[in-house]
Every structure is written in structure tokens, then in C-alpha cells.
Amino acid sequence: MLKKIALLVVLFALPLGAMAQKFAHMNSQEVIVVMPEYTKAQADLEAMSKKYSQEMERTQSEFNKKVQEFQQQANLPKNIQERRQKELQEMAQRQEEFQQEAYQSMQKAQQDALAPIYKKLDDAIQAVGKAEGAIYIFDLARTPIPYVGAESVDVTSKVKTQLGIK
């Protein structure tokens, strides 16, 4: 009889235990933007972008100057005109290639800069999840969730605290 009562208690306790499971959510965007690493990465990326922009402006200006010179010298012999036209085409091609390389370099630099930041954030989220006993922590900034019930606990501030951010 005692075994049956114990079995019934266990059977009734299991669903209650399952209901006590904790779901949490957070907004990583609120955390990331206040991380010092992110601020530094953004400043570094902006500086890099500015250098690329300055170089593109310089080469565009140089190209425009050569085009203007070419247009003003319409009375050149045909072979010289063709050679200068070819030079302008090559210059335009190099400029286009540089723009593509700059874009790719910026994308790679952004990925390289953000990867350790997201790793640190994810480690903090995991630590908070374990400390809170959460089954899941949904990141509202990375995964669109159409509804978050009142039972879900917002742990954004706890993740900030875990990272040492006020």
C-alpha cells in the first residue's frame, strides 16, 4: 500500500515539476550596444570605413581629372586617343575591383570583430541560464518570437550583470 501511495505521489509530482520549468527571454541588442568591446569594434570599423572612403574619393577624383583631360584633347592622333581610352578603362576597372575588395574586407573585419563579442555574450547567457535554472533563454533580437507570456522571465539585466555592465 505504501508503494502505491509513493507511486501516486511521484506520478502527480512529475507534471507539477514539468510545469515548474522556467522559460526566459532577453534582448541581446540591449546588451551588445553597451558592451565596451562592441563600442571599440564599432569605432575601429568606422575608422577603417573612413580610410576606404577617402581612398575611393581620391581615386575617383584622379579618374575624373583624367577623363576631363582626355575630353579636352579631342584633336590627338587616333592611336594616342585609343591608348588613353584604354588607360581610362583600366583605371575604371581597377577602381571597381578596389571597391569590391574594400567591401569584402569590411565584411570580414565586421565578422572578425563581432565573433568574440557574440561568444562572450553567449557564454554570459549560458551562465545566467544555469544560475536561473532556465530551460531556454530566447533572444528576442536574434529570433523573432510573436508572443512572450508573463510566465517567461526577462533576464536581460542579469546578462548585463554577468558581463559586468550596469
Side-chain angles (χ1 to χ4, degrees):
M1 182 74 171
L2 192 57
K3 284 186 178 181
K4 286 184 179 181
I5 293 174
L7 182 62
L8 284 173
V9 168
V10 168
L11 288 175
F12 285 116
L14 278 177
L16 292 175
M19 305 264 304
Q21 295 175 345
K22 193 175 192 180
F23 291 91
H25 64 277
M26 62 155 310
N27 186 334
S28 64
Q29 204 55 37
E30 286 181 30
V31 178
I32 292 257
V33 296
V34 293
M35 289 176 71
E37 298 91 336
Y38 179 78
T39 306
K40 182 183 179 331
Q42 287 300 105
D44 292 347
L45 290 169
E46 285 177 27
M48 184 181 199
S49 176
K50 187 175 180 179
K51 288 178 183 177
Y52 279 125
S53 293
Q54 288 171 341
E55 181 61 18
M56 283 184 223
E57 287 175 16
R58 187 192 69 73
T59 58
Q60 183 65 43
S61 175
E62 186 178 311
F63 177 75
N64 291 343
K65 183 180 173 186
K66 294 231 182 228
V67 167
Q68 210 171 31
E69 288 173 4
F70 175 74
Q71 290 172 343
Q72 290 174 355
Q73 298 174 344
N75 59 350
L76 291 173
K78 187 174 180 169
N79 63 344
I80 294 175
Q81 271 186 336
E82 289 172 356
R83 192 181 87 222
R84 291 209 179 146
Q85 217 169 12
K86 186 178 178 186
E87 287 174 5
L88 289 172
Q89 289 170 346
E90 289 171 356
M91 192 177 205
Q93 179 69 29
R94 284 192 308 272
Q95 198 169 3
E96 187 176 318
E97 289 170 1
F98 176 72
Q99 286 176 347
Q100 289 173 354
E101 289 171 13
Y103 177 76
Q104 290 170 350
S105 292
M106 285 297 301
Q107 289 227 307
K108 182 168 179 3
Q110 184 174 19
Q111 289 171 352
D112 292 348
L114 294 180
I117 295 168
Y118 275 101
K119 167 91 172 85
K120 185 175 181 178
L121 174 67
D122 290 343
D123 290 347
I125 293 169
Q126 288 179 16
V128 168
K130 287 177 185 170
E132 292 292 311
I135 296 173
Y136 294 103
I137 296 180
F138 297 100
D139 183 354
L140 302 178
R142 293 192 236 181
T143 307
I145 298 174
Y147 174 76
V148 177
E151 300 83 16
S152 180
V153 178
D154 186 351
V155 294
T156 303
S157 62
K158 292 180 181 181
V159 172
K160 285 180 181 178
T161 301
Q162 178 70 27
L163 290 167
I165 299 169
K166 296 181 181 181

